[in-house]
Amino acid sequence: MLTIGQLANHAGVSTKAIRVYHAKGLLPEPERDASGYRRYGAQAVIDLARILTLAQAGVPLSRIPDVLDADAGKATEQLDRIDAELRARIRQLKQRRTRLRQLDQPDQLCLPSEAIEYMQRLRAVGLAERHEHAIRDGWILAYALAPDITRTILTSHTSLLDDPDYVAVLRGYDDAIDRSPHDPRLDALADAAATLAQRMTLPSDLPSFKDVPREVIELLSGHLGIDSPAWQRLDQLITQRLTATAPPTHDPRGPRQHP
Amino acid sequence: MLTIGQLANHAGVSTKAIRVYHAKGLLPEPERDASGYRRYGAQAVIDLARILTLAQAGVPLSRIPDVLDADAGKATEQLDRIDAELRARIRQLKQRRTRLRQLDQPDQLCLPSEAIEYMQRLRAVGLAERHEHAIRDGWILAYALAPDITRTILTSHTSLLDDPDYVAVLRGYDDAIDRSPHDPRLDALADAAATLAQRMTLPSDLPSFKDVPREVIELLSGHLGIDSPAWQRLDQLITQRLTATAPPTHDPRGPRQHP
DNA sequence: TTGCTCCTCACGTCACGTGAGGTGGC
DNA sequence: TTGCTCCTCACGTCACGTGAGGTGGC
C-alpha cells in the first residue's frame, strides 16, 4: 500500500493536489493506518490517473466527476468535446508562437494584413517618420473603433497609392505642416487635396461613418504637429474649396483627412 | 481616442484585465477626460498588444516588464526561452490528447508499455478476471513504489510467459485458491511453484528489493482471496520445499509470489 | 428618461502553494 | 537522535470575475 507521498510521486503531482481531490470528492478518502496516515491501493492509482488525465486536459475539477461517472454514450460525447477544446488550444498556442516572433514589429501585432500591406507600400513613398507613424496610429485607432468601415476605407486608399495625385498630396502634407500659415504653397496643396477628396466618394451606406475620422483627427493632432497653424490654414482652404463646389451629404473632412 | 471598453473590445480582453495591467504597472495609466474616464491613444493599443502576446504565451505578468524592457540581445534570448516553453506545452497537450483517448482503458493510463504487453500476453492464458486484476494491480503498485526494480522483474516475467511451467503455476493458483487446504493437488502445485522460484534468480544488486513484494502481497491479499486457507497452506508447502533445497540469501517469497 | 459605459473599492474564485505547529516512522 | 514524511488548519497567490454603489454620455 502506498503513502500519499508515494502516490503523488508516481503520478507526478503534489501531495497537496491529492488532498484537494479528496476535499472536492474527486478521489475517495482511503483507509488510514494506525498513525492516521492515508494508505492507497492500486485502485487509487487508477482513479488518480483518470482524474489527472482530465484535469490536465483542462477540464475544471468541478466537472470531472460528471465526466467520469457518465455512462458510455454521454462519456464519449463529453470526451469528444474536451478533445475538440484541446485541439483548439493547440491551434491557439501555435498562433501565439507566430505572434511572439512579431513582437518587435508592433504594426504586425495591431494591424490586419491589408493595413500592413498599405503601410509597406506607403513606406516606398518616403514620408517623414513621424508622419508615417501618425498614419499608422490612425489606422490602429480606426480599426479599434470600427474595423469593418476601416477595412472598406483602407481598400480605397490602397488603390489610390497608384495615383500620383494622392501621393503628391501625402508628400505635400509631409513638408507643409511646419511652415508659416501664409506660405503660398499651401494653396496649391489645398487645390490638390480638394480635388482628391471629391474623387474619393465613400460608400454612403457605411453606418456611423463620421465617428471614425473625428477620433483619428484628434489623435493626429496630438501625436503629430497637425494642429499647427499651417495645418489649420490648410484645413480652412480645403473646406472653402469643397463647400464651393458641392454641398456635401456628409462631412467631407473624413475621407480627405484620413491618410 | 478610445475608452477602456473600446480598447478591451478590440484587444479581445475584459476591461478588468486592462485595469489589472494598470495596477501592476504593465500598461501606463492614460490621461483622463473631463468625467474621469480613461482615454487611450494608438500607443496604448500597441502596448496592450505586446503585453497580451506575452501574457497569452504564458509569461507571468510579473515578468512581462522585464521582457519588454530588455535590450535587443537579452530580449531575443528571453523570447527564445518563452518560445521553447510554448513548444513544450504544445507537445504536452498533444500527449494529453492521446491519453484522453485511453481513458476507458485504465491499464494503459497506469502502466508502462512493457507492463501492458505483459498483461495482454497474460490475457491469452485465460485466468479468472479477479486474478488478472490482482496481477494488474500488483504491477501498478510495484511501479509506483519502485519503477526501476519492477521493470527488471517484469522483463523476466514476460519471457517466462513462454515457459509452460510458469503458465501452469499461474493456472494452478487460479483454481486452487478457493479449495480446501487439504486438497492433494496443492502439493503438486507447490512442487511446480518451488521449482520455478528456484529458476527465477533475481539480480542480487537490486536495492531494497524485499520491500516491493511485501507491499504487493498485502494488496493481493485484500483484493483477491489470496489469504484464504488454501493459499496459506500453499505458502507453507512452497516455503518447506525452498528451505529444504538451498538456504536463500534473500526472502524467496518475493519473486515467486509476484505473478 | 432609459440603457449603456464608466468609476472605485472590496470580496470571490480556481487550483493549488506555503508555512505553522505537531506527531509518526526508520 | 536526526531527518524525513505525514497530519490538519489557515492563510497566500495568480489573474482576473463579480457585484456594490455611484456617476457620466447619447
Side-chain angles (χ1 to χ4, degrees), chain B residues 183-208:
Chain B
D183 193 302
R185 282 169 292 185
L186 292 186
D187 286 289
L189 185 53
D191 282 336
T195 315
L196 195 63
Q198 284 169 326
R199 235 194 292 159
M200 285 171 60
T201 334
L202 279 161
S204 57
D205 58 335
L206 286 178
S208 70

mmCIF file of all heavy atoms in Angstrom, chain B residues 183-208:
data_model
loop_
_atom_site.group_PDB
_atom_site.id
_atom_site.type_symbol
_atom_site.label_atom_id
_atom_site.label_comp_id
_atom_site.label_asym_id
_atom_site.label_seq_id
_atom_site.Cartn_x
_atom_site.Cartn_y
_atom_site.Cartn_z
ATOM 1 N N ASP B 183 -6.638 -30.187 0.053
ATOM 2 C CA ASP B 183 -6.720 -30.701 -1.310
ATOM 3 C C ASP B 183 -5.339 -31.207 -1.734
ATOM 4 O O ASP B 183 -4.348 -30.478 -1.647
ATOM 5 C CB ASP B 183 -7.185 -29.569 -2.233
ATOM 6 C CG ASP B 183 -7.586 -30.091 -3.596
ATOM 7 O OD1 ASP B 183 -6.732 -30.732 -4.249
ATOM 8 O OD2 ASP B 183 -8.755 -29.871 -3.992
ATOM 9 N N PRO B 184 -5.259 -32.457 -2.205
ATOM 10 C CA PRO B 184 -3.944 -33.022 -2.542
ATOM 11 C C PRO B 184 -3.279 -32.330 -3.725
ATOM 12 O O PRO B 184 -2.056 -32.356 -3.858
ATOM 13 C CB PRO B 184 -4.274 -34.482 -2.869
ATOM 14 C CG PRO B 184 -5.739 -34.492 -3.201
ATOM 15 C CD PRO B 184 -6.356 -33.414 -2.375
ATOM 16 N N ARG B 185 -4.082 -31.647 -4.555
ATOM 17 C CA ARG B 185 -3.484 -31.001 -5.734
ATOM 18 C C ARG B 185 -2.564 -29.838 -5.334
ATOM 19 O O ARG B 185 -1.754 -29.370 -6.119
ATOM 20 C CB ARG B 185 -4.583 -30.484 -6.652
ATOM 21 C CG ARG B 185 -5.212 -31.591 -7.494
ATOM 22 C CD ARG B 185 -6.461 -31.138 -8.184
ATOM 23 N NE ARG B 185 -7.536 -30.868 -7.254
ATOM 24 C CZ ARG B 185 -8.787 -30.544 -7.618
ATOM 25 N NH1 ARG B 185 -9.093 -30.459 -8.907
ATOM 26 N NH2 ARG B 185 -9.706 -30.314 -6.726
ATOM 27 N N LEU B 186 -2.716 -29.362 -4.085
ATOM 28 C CA LEU B 186 -1.857 -28.259 -3.639
ATOM 29 C C LEU B 186 -0.390 -28.693 -3.583
ATOM 30 O O LEU B 186 0.513 -27.878 -3.818
ATOM 31 C CB LEU B 186 -2.304 -27.756 -2.256
ATOM 32 C CG LEU B 186 -3.666 -27.047 -2.205
ATOM 33 C CD1 LEU B 186 -3.906 -26.489 -0.810
ATOM 34 C CD2 LEU B 186 -3.720 -25.925 -3.238
ATOM 35 N N ASP B 187 -0.140 -29.980 -3.289
ATOM 36 C CA ASP B 187 1.244 -30.463 -3.235
ATOM 37 C C ASP B 187 1.912 -30.382 -4.591
ATOM 38 O O ASP B 187 3.046 -29.904 -4.716
ATOM 39 C CB ASP B 187 1.270 -31.908 -2.723
ATOM 40 C CG ASP B 187 1.001 -31.971 -1.229
ATOM 41 O OD1 ASP B 187 1.895 -31.550 -0.455
ATOM 42 O OD2 ASP B 187 -0.125 -32.377 -0.848
ATOM 43 N N ALA B 188 1.170 -30.802 -5.612
ATOM 44 C CA ALA B 188 1.725 -30.762 -6.965
ATOM 45 C C ALA B 188 2.030 -29.319 -7.361
ATOM 46 O O ALA B 188 3.085 -29.001 -7.922
ATOM 47 C CB ALA B 188 0.735 -31.379 -7.953
ATOM 48 N N LEU B 189 1.090 -28.425 -6.996
ATOM 49 C CA LEU B 189 1.266 -27.008 -7.326
ATOM 50 C C LEU B 189 2.482 -26.438 -6.600
ATOM 51 O O LEU B 189 3.282 -25.681 -7.171
ATOM 52 C CB LEU B 189 -0.002 -26.240 -6.953
ATOM 53 C CG LEU B 189 -0.070 -24.761 -7.318
ATOM 54 C CD1 LEU B 189 0.225 -24.540 -8.794
ATOM 55 C CD2 LEU B 189 -1.418 -24.186 -6.943
ATOM 56 N N ALA B 190 2.627 -26.814 -5.336
ATOM 57 C CA ALA B 190 3.770 -26.334 -4.552
ATOM 58 C C ALA B 190 5.080 -26.807 -5.175
ATOM 59 O O ALA B 190 6.053 -26.044 -5.252
ATOM 60 C CB ALA B 190 3.658 -26.824 -3.117
ATOM 61 N N ASP B 191 5.111 -28.039 -5.642
ATOM 62 C CA ASP B 191 6.309 -28.546 -6.329
ATOM 63 C C ASP B 191 6.657 -27.668 -7.519
ATOM 64 O O ASP B 191 7.782 -27.193 -7.669
ATOM 65 C CB ASP B 191 6.059 -29.987 -6.830
ATOM 66 C CG ASP B 191 6.173 -31.011 -5.705
ATOM 67 O OD1 ASP B 191 6.871 -30.694 -4.705
ATOM 68 O OD2 ASP B 191 5.557 -32.084 -5.824
ATOM 69 N N ALA B 192 5.648 -27.451 -8.350
ATOM 70 C CA ALA B 192 5.869 -26.675 -9.579
ATOM 71 C C ALA B 192 6.332 -25.267 -9.239
ATOM 72 O O ALA B 192 7.283 -24.727 -9.824
ATOM 73 C CB ALA B 192 4.589 -26.628 -10.397
ATOM 74 N N ALA B 193 5.664 -24.628 -8.244
ATOM 75 C CA ALA B 193 5.997 -23.255 -7.887
ATOM 76 C C ALA B 193 7.413 -23.156 -7.329
ATOM 77 O O ALA B 193 8.160 -22.237 -7.662
ATOM 78 C CB ALA B 193 4.980 -22.730 -6.867
ATOM 79 N N ALA B 194 7.785 -24.131 -6.496
ATOM 80 C CA ALA B 194 9.119 -24.089 -5.894
ATOM 81 C C ALA B 194 10.200 -24.254 -6.956
ATOM 82 O O ALA B 194 11.209 -23.535 -6.954
ATOM 83 C CB ALA B 194 9.242 -25.179 -4.840
ATOM 84 N N THR B 195 9.976 -25.195 -7.863
ATOM 85 C CA THR B 195 10.947 -25.396 -8.948
ATOM 86 C C THR B 195 11.118 -24.107 -9.749
ATOM 87 O O THR B 195 12.223 -23.668 -10.059
ATOM 88 C CB THR B 195 10.447 -26.514 -9.893
ATOM 89 O OG1 THR B 195 9.981 -27.608 -9.104
ATOM 90 C CG2 THR B 195 11.535 -26.950 -10.839
ATOM 91 N N LEU B 196 9.984 -23.502 -10.032
ATOM 92 C CA LEU B 196 10.001 -22.256 -10.814
ATOM 93 C C LEU B 196 10.736 -21.153 -10.061
ATOM 94 O O LEU B 196 11.571 -20.438 -10.631
ATOM 95 C CB LEU B 196 8.557 -21.833 -11.081
ATOM 96 C CG LEU B 196 8.327 -20.790 -12.154
ATOM 97 C CD1 LEU B 196 8.776 -21.308 -13.513
ATOM 98 C CD2 LEU B 196 6.859 -20.397 -12.201
ATOM 99 N N ALA B 197 10.441 -21.023 -8.777
ATOM 100 C CA ALA B 197 11.037 -19.960 -7.974
ATOM 101 C C ALA B 197 12.553 -20.072 -7.963
ATOM 102 O O ALA B 197 13.262 -19.073 -7.985
ATOM 103 C CB ALA B 197 10.505 -20.023 -6.548
ATOM 104 N N GLN B 198 13.047 -21.335 -7.964
ATOM 105 C CA GLN B 198 14.500 -21.501 -7.937
ATOM 106 C C GLN B 198 15.134 -21.126 -9.254
ATOM 107 O O GLN B 198 16.285 -20.715 -9.310
ATOM 108 C CB GLN B 198 14.844 -22.947 -7.572
ATOM 109 C CG GLN B 198 14.639 -23.184 -6.089
ATOM 110 C CD GLN B 198 14.702 -24.622 -5.707
ATOM 111 O OE1 GLN B 198 14.294 -25.495 -6.485
ATOM 112 N NE2 GLN B 198 15.207 -24.899 -4.521
ATOM 113 N N ARG B 199 14.371 -21.269 -10.317
ATOM 114 C CA ARG B 199 14.896 -20.882 -11.624
ATOM 115 C C ARG B 199 14.955 -19.364 -11.775
ATOM 116 O O ARG B 199 15.761 -18.819 -12.495
ATOM 117 C CB ARG B 199 13.985 -21.479 -12.709
ATOM 118 C CG ARG B 199 14.789 -22.315 -13.705
ATOM 119 C CD ARG B 199 13.980 -22.596 -14.930
ATOM 120 N NE ARG B 199 12.865 -23.495 -14.636
ATOM 121 C CZ ARG B 199 11.787 -23.592 -15.400
ATOM 122 N NH1 ARG B 199 11.672 -22.835 -16.479
ATOM 123 N NH2 ARG B 199 10.833 -24.431 -15.084
ATOM 124 N N MET B 200 14.018 -18.669 -11.078
ATOM 125 C CA MET B 200 13.891 -17.216 -11.242
ATOM 126 C C MET B 200 14.819 -16.458 -10.314
ATOM 127 O O MET B 200 14.379 -15.639 -9.514
ATOM 128 C CB MET B 200 12.468 -16.782 -10.937
ATOM 129 C CG MET B 200 11.494 -17.122 -12.023
ATOM 130 S SD MET B 200 9.830 -16.807 -11.451
ATOM 131 C CE MET B 200 9.924 -15.078 -11.088
ATOM 132 N N THR B 201 16.113 -16.723 -10.395
ATOM 133 C CA THR B 201 17.036 -15.983 -9.545
ATOM 134 C C THR B 201 17.067 -14.529 -9.998
ATOM 135 O O THR B 201 17.286 -14.241 -11.176
ATOM 136 C CB THR B 201 18.455 -16.566 -9.631
ATOM 137 O OG1 THR B 201 18.349 -17.934 -9.991
ATOM 138 C CG2 THR B 201 19.181 -16.392 -8.334
ATOM 139 N N LEU B 202 16.841 -13.661 -9.057
ATOM 140 C CA LEU B 202 16.831 -12.237 -9.409
ATOM 141 C C LEU B 202 18.212 -11.647 -9.267
ATOM 142 O O LEU B 202 19.009 -12.108 -8.452
ATOM 143 C CB LEU B 202 15.852 -11.512 -8.498
ATOM 144 C CG LEU B 202 14.407 -11.665 -8.955
ATOM 145 C CD1 LEU B 202 13.461 -11.360 -7.822
ATOM 146 C CD2 LEU B 202 14.141 -10.753 -10.144
ATOM 147 N N PRO B 203 18.519 -10.634 -10.028
ATOM 148 C CA PRO B 203 19.799 -9.936 -9.861
ATOM 149 C C PRO B 203 19.945 -9.482 -8.409
ATOM 150 O O PRO B 203 19.040 -8.853 -7.857
ATOM 151 C CB PRO B 203 19.700 -8.741 -10.807
ATOM 152 C CG PRO B 203 18.278 -8.713 -11.277
ATOM 153 C CD PRO B 203 17.714 -10.069 -11.089
ATOM 154 N N SER B 204 21.076 -9.817 -7.786
ATOM 155 C CA SER B 204 21.232 -9.560 -6.357
ATOM 156 C C SER B 204 21.555 -8.102 -6.064
ATOM 157 O O SER B 204 21.522 -7.672 -4.916
ATOM 158 C CB SER B 204 22.332 -10.458 -5.793
ATOM 159 O OG SER B 204 23.518 -10.223 -6.518
ATOM 160 N N ASP B 205 21.854 -7.324 -7.118
ATOM 161 C CA ASP B 205 22.227 -5.925 -6.874
ATOM 162 C C ASP B 205 21.017 -4.994 -6.848
ATOM 163 O O ASP B 205 21.157 -3.782 -6.843
ATOM 164 C CB ASP B 205 23.230 -5.445 -7.942
ATOM 165 C CG ASP B 205 22.666 -5.592 -9.341
ATOM 166 O OD1 ASP B 205 21.782 -6.456 -9.536
ATOM 167 O OD2 ASP B 205 23.095 -4.831 -10.220
ATOM 168 N N LEU B 206 19.803 -5.557 -6.841
ATOM 169 C CA LEU B 206 18.624 -4.704 -6.759
ATOM 170 C C LEU B 206 18.514 -4.150 -5.350
ATOM 171 O O LEU B 206 18.443 -4.906 -4.390
ATOM 172 C CB LEU B 206 17.371 -5.508 -7.101
ATOM 173 C CG LEU B 206 17.209 -5.837 -8.580
ATOM 174 C CD1 LEU B 206 15.961 -6.682 -8.786
ATOM 175 C CD2 LEU B 206 17.139 -4.572 -9.405
ATOM 176 N N PRO B 207 18.497 -2.824 -5.206
ATOM 177 C CA PRO B 207 18.462 -2.252 -3.867
ATOM 178 C C PRO B 207 17.062 -2.372 -3.257
ATOM 179 O O PRO B 207 16.063 -2.239 -3.961
ATOM 180 C CB PRO B 207 18.826 -0.787 -4.110
ATOM 181 C CG PRO B 207 18.408 -0.513 -5.508
ATOM 182 C CD PRO B 207 18.398 -1.821 -6.256
ATOM 183 N N SER B 208 17.033 -2.635 -2.001
ATOM 184 C CA SER B 208 15.799 -2.718 -1.201
ATOM 185 C C SER B 208 14.712 -3.513 -1.927
ATOM 186 O O SER B 208 13.555 -3.142 -1.909
ATOM 187 C CB SER B 208 15.287 -1.323 -0.835
ATOM 188 O OG SER B 208 14.797 -0.660 -1.984
#
